[in-house]
Amino acid sequence: QVQLVESGGGVVQSGGSLTLSCQVSGMSVDFMPIGWFRQVPGKEREVISCINTREKTTHYAHWVVGRFTISDDSAKNVVSLNLNRLSSEDRAMYSCASAFLGLYGSRCIAGTYWGQGTQVTVSS
């Protein structure tokens, strides 16, 4: 049974940083690409970043603009998302999920398996 569990969310001041982690069990991240997504109530869920460990490809949404970095730790079966220069606009529920990446990371769409999410709140 594949399970994803997020951690690392919380309250951070504007301009601050957080690192979110997605612990995967039931499948190796070497064989299952993982993506990070976020959603604000009343708005559509959006892709942040995805990673395919085996093919060494990543995808970032255009609005990330170098503020966020995705990484993996195959030994621990964890995919992390480092968030920098956070603003109030980044306040959302952040979730990780299995994902499909296009050729050379051109695009990313969510797969079947989802974590429960972790809330990020940015205070001014």
Side-chain angles (χ1 to χ4, degrees), residues 26-122:
M27 176 68 74
S28 170
V29 297
D30 288 340
F31 301 105
M32 183 171 71
I34 298 294
W36 281 96
F37 305 82
R38 71 182 188 181
Q39 188 168 23
V40 175
K43 294 188 177 180
E44 290 189 0
R45 183 173 58 211
E46 58 183 354
V47 174
I48 303 171
S49 181
C50 302
I51 187 167
N52 184 323
T53 299
R54 185 174 58 176
E55 297 185 359
K56 303 187 189 308
T57 55
T58 57
H59 169 85
Y60 288 94
H62 65 90
W63 53 264
V64 169
V65 198
R67 294 191 301 129
F68 301 168
T69 304
I70 196 168
S71 61
D72 58 54
D73 185 334
S74 296
K76 297 181 179 179
N77 224 31
V78 170
V79 173
S80 298
L81 185 69
N82 187 36
L83 313 176
N84 295 307
R85 306 198 305 275
L86 288 163
S87 72
S88 58
E89 294 183 351
D90 296 312
R91 179 181 183 273
M93 178 67 75
Y94 287 68
S95 301
C96 62
S98 57
F100 299 95
L101 275 78
L103 189 62
Y104 306 123
S106 56
R107 61 181 298 215
C108 176
I109 58 174
T112 303
Y113 305 105
W114 285 86
Q116 83 287 351
T118 186
Q119 179 69 39
V120 172
T121 301
V122 184

